[in-house]
């Protein structure tokens, strides 16, 4: 039986890696997801075949509850709510690891007669898993707008308090590893780590939330790998390390895309969550805003030779991706080149815009990364910005006093003209005004993005 389990685990690992490889592009992402899911199913079956496995009714109950809650939730979630769904599911994984660590403490009577590495790995998993669970819960609340998107901080006391609470968790863990048997100690570890998760994520604003979700995802993977080491479960170790490594790499890439360090992001205090009381761009209030209509926008697009669509979170909110695809088809039928400039952190999670456009069957070849897009903008006749805010703000390049100064952006002002589709002049996640809206090249088309694009489509049909 042990040989069979080992073989099944190897099959599961191969499927994990092959599935992950499939997620490198939209065309193979769905297949890759199914392959990885099949690998997890194989790993679960292999684990259930381990000698000594029992209490089958409880296992069946757990699997049933998970399926009843997870499957409908994943199928019904709207694309705009996908980031908070990811945060929630990720947090559940971290919470599960923390609970397993607690159970392991009780079953082994405080790791009595267990090797020292088992206690250390289990306590590490308890701390990191609890941080991930509670931190993901706060991230979910901010994204779902249950909690304020702006930074919530204690000012100068924030970092000292974080250090005190983290020290408390570590001290309790050290006492346990040194032979402490009181269950209050493991509860203290979980509570203190949970407070750290809350206190670290609350001060982080909406602008940094995509990076936070990716970082917490990496935390969950690392906690699972550590718990696998404590339980001598190869599947947990491998799967956890894959998640931890990929999440860490993604977090670093996203931080670089925002020109911000991970410590600076964790320090919090940046990003107003799009509140009305936004900081003002220097001189922006003195410049007039030029508005346009769907008819004028359609004419401008119809006589262009090259159009670049710049999607953002507003596109996801309005669910305008299918209307955009219809508009692009009409323009391409007129011989106009249409491409899509996708910023790495556009939206509320990594790859948000890619997934959204793939849902509308936008060809993958039409999606251009930031560097390629910026090289192309000088040859673009019309840049159509749909709900993208901070990632197009020229202040990131021109205003040293701006909170986003130095952040790589899409240089839409390099194109010959710009049309911005937006409900209002409100700010983005960074909580600052966008100088693009008052640029001489820019025309603002106010209203719901889906309705505006649909209006442009109807006008194009008459031209």
């Amino acid at each position: 039986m042990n040989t069979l389990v080992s073989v099944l685990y190897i099959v599961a690992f191969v499927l994990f890696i092959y599935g992950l490889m499939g997620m490198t592009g939209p065309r193979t992402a769905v297949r890759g997801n199914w392959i990885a899911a099949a690998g997890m199913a194989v790993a679960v079956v292999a684990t259930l075949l381990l000698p000594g496995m029992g209490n089958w009714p409880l296992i069946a109950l757990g699997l049933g509850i998970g399926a009843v809650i997870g499957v409908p939730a994943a199928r019904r979630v709207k694309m705009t709510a996908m980031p908070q769904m990811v945060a929630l599911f990720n947090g559940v994984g971290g919470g599960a690891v923390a609970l397993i660590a607690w159970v392991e403490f009780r079953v082994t009577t405080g790791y009595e007669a267990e090797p020292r590495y088992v206690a250390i790995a289990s306590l590490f998993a308890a701390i990191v898993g609890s941080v991930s669970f509670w931190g993901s819960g706060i991230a979910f609340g901010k994204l779902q707008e249950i909690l304020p998107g702006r930074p919530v901080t204690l000012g100068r006391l924030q970092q000292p308090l974080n250090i005190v609470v983290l020290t408390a968790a570590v001290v309790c863990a050290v006492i346990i590893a040194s032979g402490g048997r009181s269950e209050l100690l493991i509860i203290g570890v979980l509570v203190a780590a949970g407070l750290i998760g809350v206190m670290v994520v609350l001060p982080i604003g909406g602008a940094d939330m995509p990076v936070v979700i990716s970082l917490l995802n990496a935390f969950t993977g690392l906690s699972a790998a550590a718990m696998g080491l404590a339980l001598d479960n190869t599947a947990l170790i491998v799967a956890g390390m894959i998640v931890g490594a990929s999440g860490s790499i993604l977090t670093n890439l996203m931080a670089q895309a925002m020109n911000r360090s991970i410590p600076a992001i964790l320090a919090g205090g940046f990003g107003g969550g799009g509140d009305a009381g936004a900081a003002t761009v220097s001189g922006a209030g003195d410049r007039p805003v030029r508005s346009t209509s769907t008819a004028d926008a359609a004419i401008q697009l119809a006589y262009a030779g090259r159009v670049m669509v710049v999607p953002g979170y507003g596109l996801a909110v309005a669910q305008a991706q299918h209307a955009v695809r219809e508009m692009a088809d009409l323009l391409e039928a007129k011989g106009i080149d249409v491409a899509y400039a996708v910023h790495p952190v556009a939206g509320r999670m990594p790859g948000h815009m890619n997934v959204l456009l793939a849902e509308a069957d936008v060809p993958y070849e039409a999606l251009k990364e930031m560097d390629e897009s910026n090289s192309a903008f000088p040859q673009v006749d019309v840049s159509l910005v749909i709900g993208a805010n901070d990632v197009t703000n020229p202040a990131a390049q021109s205003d040293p006093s701006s909170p986003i100064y130095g952040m790589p952006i899409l240089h839409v002002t390099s194109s010959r003209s710009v049309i911005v589709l937006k409900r209002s002049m409100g700010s983005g996640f960074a909580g600052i005004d966008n100088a693009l809206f008052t640029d001489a090249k820019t025309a603002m088309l106010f209203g719901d993005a889906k309705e505006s694009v649909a209006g442009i489509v109807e006008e194009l049909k008459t031209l």
Side-chain angles (χ1 to χ4, degrees):
M1 185 62 71
N2 285 334
T3 302
L4 175 61
V5 169
S6 298
V7 170
L8 289 176
Y9 276 161
I10 292 173
V11 171
F13 304 155
V14 171
L15 291 174
F16 288 159
I17 296 171
Y18 188 54
L20 192 63
M21 291 171 60
M23 295 180 193
T24 55
R27 288 182 175 177
T28 56
V30 174
R31 184 180 64 191
N33 203 24
W34 278 110
I35 291 172
M40 182 56 69
V42 172
V44 170
V45 171
T47 302
L48 294 177
L49 292 176
L50 286 171
M53 188 63 64
N55 207 340
W56 297 104
L58 187 60
I59 292 173
L61 179 63
L63 290 173
I65 292 174
V68 168
I69 295 175
V71 173
R75 291 180 65 87
R76 295 174 185 173
V77 64
K78 295 181 179 179
M79 190 56 62
T80 49
M82 191 60 72
Q84 43 265 55
M85 174 66 77
V86 171
L88 189 62
F89 279 5
N90 173 66
V92 168
V97 170
L99 289 176
I100 292 171
W102 187 1
V103 170
E104 187 69 7
F105 175 89
R106 300 191 65 183
V107 168
T108 60
T109 317
Y111 309 113
E112 188 178 10
E114 293 288 336
R116 183 64 57 86
Y117 80 87
V118 171
I120 294 173
S122 185
L123 291 167
F124 176 84
I127 293 173
V128 178
S130 189
V131 168
S132 178
F133 174 74
W134 292 102
S136 296
I138 297 299
F140 169 82
K142 282 176 171 280
L143 292 172
Q144 192 67 19
E145 299 181 354
I146 298 172
L147 298 173
R150 68 179 185 279
V152 179
T153 177
L154 297 174
R156 293 182 178 180
L157 290 176
Q158 186 69 51
Q159 299 308 325
L161 278 176
N162 287 351
I163 293 173
V164 168
V165 177
L166 178 59
T167 301
V170 172
V171 167
C172 289
V174 169
I175 294 174
I176 292 173
S178 301
R181 302 287 179 263
S182 173
E183 191 165 358
L184 290 177
L185 289 171
I186 189 66
I187 293 175
V189 168
L190 295 174
V191 171
L195 284 174
I196 284 292
V198 172
M199 293 170 65
V200 167
V201 179
L202 266 179
I204 299 175
D208 290 328
M209 207 48 62
V211 183
V212 173
I213 292 175
S214 179
L215 181 62
L216 292 172
N217 183 60
F219 278 11
T220 295
L222 292 175
S223 66
M227 201 67 241
L229 183 64
L231 297 175
D232 193 24
N233 187 292
T234 311
L236 264 181
I237 295 173
V238 174
M241 288 308 299
I242 289 174
V243 174
S246 59
S248 299
I249 293 170
L250 180 58
T251 300
N252 186 54
L253 290 173
M254 293 183 67
Q256 290 178 359
M258 298 175 68
N259 196 37
R260 286 169 58 75
S261 67
I262 295 174
I265 291 171
L266 293 178
F270 173 73
D275 293 335
T280 304
V281 175
S282 177
D286 301 328
R287 297 193 293 267
V289 175
R290 184 164 60 94
S291 61
T292 188
S293 64
T294 54
D296 289 341
I299 292 173
Q300 194 173 347
L301 290 168
Y303 286 95
R306 194 171 186 184
V307 173
M308 186 75 80
V309 178
V310 183
Y313 183 64
L315 177 73
V317 172
Q319 289 290 286
Q321 63 270 27
H322 295 285
V324 169
R325 173 63 195 274
E326 184 179 1
M327 177 193 69
D329 288 343
L330 289 172
L331 292 175
E332 289 170 348
K334 296 177 182 292
I336 300 168
D337 179 62
V338 181
Y340 301 79
V342 180
H343 193 281
V345 294
R348 286 190 172 183
M349 64 179 287
H352 198 178
M353 295 301 103
N354 300 70
V355 174
L356 199 70
L357 295 171
E359 184 184 334
D361 294 324
V362 172
Y364 181 59
E365 294 77 13
L367 273 58
K368 308 299 180 184
E369 295 184 358
M370 182 170 59
D371 291 341
E372 186 179 0
S373 299
N374 286 338
S375 298
F377 276 124
Q379 290 77 47
V380 170
D381 295 303
V382 182
S383 287
L384 188 65
V385 181
I386 308 177
N389 204 328
D390 298 326
V391 297
T392 62
N393 195 336
Q397 304 292 317
S398 62
D399 185 2
S401 65
S402 173
I404 62 172
Y405 182 71
M407 170 181 162
I409 62 168
L410 293 166
H411 301 158
V412 294
T413 52
S414 298
S415 56
R416 294 183 178 87
S417 62
V418 182
I419 302 174
V420 176
L421 275 61
K422 208 170 183 298
R423 289 180 180 272
S424 68
M425 293 288 288
S427 62
F429 282 150
I432 61 174
D433 290 336
N434 192 340
L436 173 67
F437 301 164
T438 54
D439 189 276
K441 293 182 178 180
T442 302
M444 302 291 296
L445 180 55
F446 293 107
D448 177 80
K450 185 176 182 179
E451 294 177 0
S452 296
V453 176
I456 292 174
V457 167
E458 293 305 314
E459 294 291 340
L460 286 173
K461 290 178 179 178
T462 65
L463 296 176

